[in-house]
């Protein structure tokens, strides 16, 4: 065992013990976080506007601070962007994480001296918790790759900004610098396809042991590795043993990945966002991710089926239940207050608190009142693929309200790696799985309001072409699993496999 590997195991034990301490008293820890946030921000412009000096309890906070999304918080953010201090959090932020908004254009999410360390610690601790559980630490001696955005940052009124993954690249600890790939020059390439090709050339002959990134973009990297070497990724990187991912559910990609790699490798799911690092998978074999209750974030939850009602009830960590879909609301030491992240989660465990991401509150299908969420379509596709050799590269679902003939339906745009022998039978499997999960959808099928799902196969690399066409190829960009309109579907309809027209 190398010295680095031995040291990693000792550090992992410490992190495990520290985690058990705060995870065993969740309500108390969250109360401490809440009190500290209010105390630190009471002299800010936001704190003065919302009576922070008189807030003594969570009830006071609810009465003074309404739930906001980015649009509602934007007037304060714009003042911060102009360089004004003490607006949302004391002083000025270290960075802005720039993201693409659908209604607000570019969004600038502040990252402060108080919040930034938690982004780094969470990613590190996820790996250390894995080492503690499995005893596997040999991978720390090999090369690690993190497929991410460019680390080149711009500046606005004295504050640097860029993609979160590019900002985080500046915080890779010294003991990992020699292991980290790709190099700076490669990482700064803007064009994603050119960047992936350069990464392939740089890493092909290296001893890669850890690979991390959003599954859809790592898949592109794996495919190009396989094209270059004409062999499985696991044969190119014989010691590759850990895949770290976030942003989307890995399960729809797992069969394709295992085929590309040639074997199964362990994986760790992360739940990071520009607004905060919320959770990570702390146990193999358990899909739930440990909610980070001591990381400068105070959490609130609103039931998703009540979210759009007047004054929906806001729940704290001690009030949540398992298997209920909640919208995630946060207040943070970066100056976000009762902020609607847009993410929806379900709790898989309450001792400790573990969550899975079920989708986005704005990404759903309810054209007929069916209330379909991302978790349901992902589970239905996985169930349909179970026990088959069907492999899927990517998919998304949209309603077809006005078909040329017959009843309306949900249209599944799927890019297959291995296609079903019988597309109609595969569609019925998906439909059956959907009906078991969603009683509203089942009622619509029974009542002849909807017909069963229709699969529209998408041509090879069709989804990549779509993402490229909207300027979101690579990096941290993700394809919505669900849309309640036809904006994505209408573009994808032009990228379908025409030879299936008679079969669906």
């Amino acid at each position: 065992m190398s010295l680095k590997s031995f040291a990693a195991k000792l550090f992992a034990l410490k992190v495990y013990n520290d985690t058990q301490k705060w995870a065993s008293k969740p309500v108390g820890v969250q109360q401490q976080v809440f009190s500290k946030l209010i105390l630190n921000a009471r002299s800010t412009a936001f704190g003065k506007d919302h009576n922070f000096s008189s807030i003594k309890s969570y009830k006071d906070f609810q009465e003074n601070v309404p739930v906001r999304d980015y649009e509602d918080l934007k007037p304060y953010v714009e003042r911060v962007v102009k360089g004004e201090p003490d607006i949302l959090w004391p002083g000025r932020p270290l960075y802005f994480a720039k993201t693409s908004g659908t209604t607000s254009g570019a969004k600038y999410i502040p990252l402060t001296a108080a919040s930034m360390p938690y982004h780094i610690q969470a990613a590190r601790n996820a790996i250390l918790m894995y080492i503690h559980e499995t005893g596997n630490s040999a991978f720390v001696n090999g090369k690690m790759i993190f497929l991410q955005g460019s680390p080149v940052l711009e500046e606005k009124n004295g504050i640097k900004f860029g993609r979160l993954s590019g900002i985080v690249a500046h915080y890779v600890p010294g003991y990992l610098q020699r292991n980290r790939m790709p190099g700076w020059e490669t990482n700064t390439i803007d064009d994603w396809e050119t960047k992936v090709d350069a990464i392939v050339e740089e890493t092909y002959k290296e001893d890669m042991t850890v690979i991390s990134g959003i599954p859809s973009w790592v898949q592109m990297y794996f495919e190009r590795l396989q094209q270059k070497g004409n062999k499985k990724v696991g044969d190119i990187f014989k010691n590759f043993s850990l895949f770290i991912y976030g942003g989307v559910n890995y399960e729809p990609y797992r069969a394709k990945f295992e085929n590309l790699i040639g074997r199964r490798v362990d994986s760790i799911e992360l739940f990071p966002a520009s607004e905060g690092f919320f959770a990570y998978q702390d146990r193999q074999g358990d899909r739930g991710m440990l909610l980070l209750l001591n990381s400068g974030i105070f959490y609130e939850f609103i039931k998703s089926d009540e979210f759009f009602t007047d004054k929906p009830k806001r729940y704290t960590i001690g009030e949540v239940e398992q298997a209920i879909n909640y919208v995630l609301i946060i207040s943070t030491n970066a100056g976000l207050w009762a902020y609607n992240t847009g993410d929806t989660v379900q709790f898989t465990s309450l001792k400790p608190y573990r969550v899975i991401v079920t989708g986005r509150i704005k990404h759903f299908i309810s054209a007929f009142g069916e209330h379909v969420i991302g978790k349901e379509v992902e589970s239905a596709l996985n169930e349909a693929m179970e026990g088959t050799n069907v492999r899927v590269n990517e998919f998304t679902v949209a309603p077809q309200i006005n078909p040329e003939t017959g009843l309306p339906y949900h249209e599944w745009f799927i890019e297959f790696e291995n296609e079903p022998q019988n597309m109609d039978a595969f569609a019925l499997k998906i439909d059956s799985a959907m009906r078991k999960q969603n009683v509203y959808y089942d009622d619509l099928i029974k009542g002849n309001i909807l017909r069963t799902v229709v699969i529209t196969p998408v041509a090879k690399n069709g989804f990549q072409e779509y993402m490229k066409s909207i300027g979101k190829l690579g990096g941290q960009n993700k394809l919505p699993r669900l849309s309640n309109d036809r904006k994505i579907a209408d573009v994808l309809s032009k990228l379908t496999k025409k030879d299936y027209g008679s079969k669906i």
Side-chain angles (χ1 to χ4, degrees):
M1 181 185 296
S2 70
L3 181 59
K4 184 183 283 191
S5 182
F6 179 71
K9 285 192 173 184
L10 290 179
F11 196 11
L13 178 60
K14 179 183 184 307
V15 168
Y16 172 80
N17 288 332
D18 290 345
T19 300
Q20 300 315 299
K21 289 177 184 176
W22 63 256
S24 65
K25 44 186 179 182
V27 175
V29 166
Q30 275 285 276
Q31 181 60 49
Q32 289 173 7
V33 170
F34 171 77
S35 299
K36 190 173 181 180
L37 289 173
I38 298 299
L39 179 65
N40 286 340
R42 62 183 176 181
S43 296
T44 63
F46 188 94
K48 291 174 182 177
D49 290 346
H50 294 81
N51 306 311
F52 275 23
S53 60
S54 65
I55 290 178
K56 307 298 181 186
S57 67
Y58 172 61
K59 183 180 178 182
D60 293 339
F61 179 75
Q62 281 186 306
E63 290 174 352
N64 284 277
V65 185
V67 172
R68 284 177 165 88
D69 58 17
Y70 186 83
E71 278 296 302
D72 296 324
L73 198 66
K74 194 173 180 180
Y76 289 98
V77 175
E78 286 178 337
R79 293 173 65 184
V80 182
V81 172
K82 288 176 182 176
E84 290 187 51
D86 306 324
I87 302 301
L88 288 165
W89 190 255
R92 298 194 302 170
L94 292 178
Y95 305 97
F96 289 112
K98 185 180 179 182
T99 66
S100 300
T102 53
T103 59
S104 356
K107 295 165 60 177
Y108 293 90
I109 306 298
L111 297 167
T112 64
S115 71
M116 195 66 219
Y118 289 109
H119 284 271
I120 312 307
Q121 290 173 17
R124 178 202 69 191
N125 289 353
I127 296 175
L128 290 169
M129 291 290 278
Y130 167 81
I131 289 174
H132 177 77
E133 181 190 8
T134 66
N136 174 21
S137 62
F139 64 84
V140 302
N141 300 303
K143 298 287 187 179
M144 306 178 186
I145 188 169
F146 301 91
L147 293 177
Q148 56 195 191
S150 172
V152 175
L153 305 179
E154 300 176 67
E155 192 169 301
K156 187 182 288 286
N157 297 318
I159 303 172
K160 293 180 178 179
F161 68 92
R163 296 287 183 180
L164 176 65
S165 60
I167 293 169
V168 169
H170 291 264
Y171 286 81
V172 175
Y175 60 85
L176 285 182
Q177 287 290 0
R178 289 185 179 181
N179 303 64
R180 172 195 177 195
M181 298 193 82
W184 182 269
E185 186 175 338
T186 300
N187 226 5
T188 58
I189 297 173
D190 282 327
D191 182 76
W192 186 253
E193 292 180 286
T194 304
K195 183 173 185 172
V196 171
D197 287 338
I199 292 172
V200 169
E201 292 302 320
E202 187 174 335
T203 59
Y204 182 74
K205 293 185 179 180
E206 298 289 344
D207 179 23
M208 305 303 302
T209 57
V210 178
I211 296 172
S212 176
I214 290 179
S216 50
W217 307 128
V218 174
Q219 179 177 303
M220 182 191 291
Y221 170 57
F222 283 173
E223 287 171 341
R224 297 198 180 184
L225 277 169
Q226 194 174 62
Q227 289 167 10
K228 178 177 176 62
N230 198 28
K231 53 185 175 181
K232 301 290 187 183
V233 173
D235 292 327
I236 297 170
F237 303 141
K238 296 185 182 300
N239 294 314
F240 171 40
S241 61
L242 183 60
F243 173 51
I244 304 173
Y245 68 96
V248 298
N249 183 9
Y250 179 41
E251 291 308 312
Y253 301 93
R254 187 180 291 278
K256 173 66 184 293
F257 267 56
E258 290 178 3
N259 181 260
L260 285 168
I261 298 166
R263 53 184 163 84
R264 192 181 184 95
V265 298
D266 285 347
S267 61
I268 303 174
E269 183 174 5
L270 311 178
F271 186 9
S274 299
E275 296 85 355
F277 202 125
F278 305 131
Y280 59 70
Q281 185 180 2
D282 65 319
R283 291 197 312 188
Q284 293 292 296
D286 189 331
R287 259 206 73 205
M289 294 176 283
L290 184 69
L291 190 64
L292 303 181
L293 302 175
N294 70 331
S295 59
I297 301 172
F298 177 70
Y299 298 95
E300 298 176 85
F301 307 89
I302 297 176
K303 293 179 180 180
S304 59
D305 59 1
E306 299 175 0
F307 184 76
F308 295 107
T309 63
D310 291 336
K311 294 184 179 180
K313 179 173 172 55
R314 294 153 66 174
Y315 298 85
T316 58
I317 194 66
E319 301 171 304
V320 296
E321 302 173 62
Q322 288 180 241
I324 290 177
N325 214 41
Y326 293 102
V327 181
L328 182 64
I329 310 298
I330 58 170
S331 298
T332 77
N333 54 9
L336 303 177
W337 300 103
Y339 182 87
N340 170 22
T341 66
D343 292 304
T344 58
V345 300
Q346 286 183 9
F347 284 88
T348 62
S349 166
L350 303 182
K351 291 184 178 180
Y353 286 90
R354 293 192 179 94
V355 297
I356 56 172
V357 180
T358 55
R360 300 277 296 168
I361 191 62
K362 291 183 179 179
H363 293 168
F364 60 89
I365 296 178
S366 199
F368 304 90
E370 58 269 50
H371 309 297
V372 170
I373 61 174
K375 173 180 175 289
E376 292 170 343
V377 296
E378 289 175 342
S379 296
L381 181 60
N382 289 337
E383 185 173 327
M385 290 194 297
E386 194 172 319
T388 74
N389 66 347
V390 175
R391 293 196 295 272
V392 168
N393 291 337
E394 190 60 277
F395 79 101
T396 192
V397 188
Q400 176 51 272
I401 299 173
N402 299 305
E404 292 182 6
T405 60
L407 294 172
Y409 54 86
H410 286 185
E411 187 170 12
W412 288 58
F413 292 86
I414 304 178
E415 182 184 325
F416 291 100
E417 176 69 18
N418 270 12
E419 298 158 351
Q421 291 183 346
N422 186 320
M423 195 68 72
D424 290 334
F426 190 72
L428 285 173
K429 280 187 177 182
I430 290 175
D431 202 75
S432 175
M434 284 298 305
R435 294 177 68 175
K436 284 188 290 184
Q437 292 182 91
N438 188 309
V439 65
Y440 305 108
Y441 180 78
D442 184 50
D443 286 344
L444 290 167
I445 297 291
K446 287 178 180 175
N448 290 321
I449 306 299
L450 292 178
R451 61 176 160 125
T452 55
V453 304
V454 170
I455 296 175
T456 299
V458 174
K460 178 72 173 175
N461 298 324
F463 284 101
Q464 289 182 21
E465 288 299 316
Y466 167 73
M467 296 297 280
K468 189 175 182 178
S469 73
I470 61 171
K472 292 189 175 184
L473 184 67
Q476 304 305 112
N477 297 308
K478 303 176 287 268
L479 177 80
R481 282 282 175 255
L482 294 166
S483 304
N484 204 38
D485 55 40
R486 298 283 299 177
K487 290 178 182 177
I488 296 175
D490 288 344
V491 178
L492 289 174
S493 294
K494 302 171 185 176
L495 300 170
T496 57
K497 294 185 68 173
K498 303 299 182 184
D499 57 324
Y500 270 96
S502 62
K503 299 182 182 181
I504 54 177

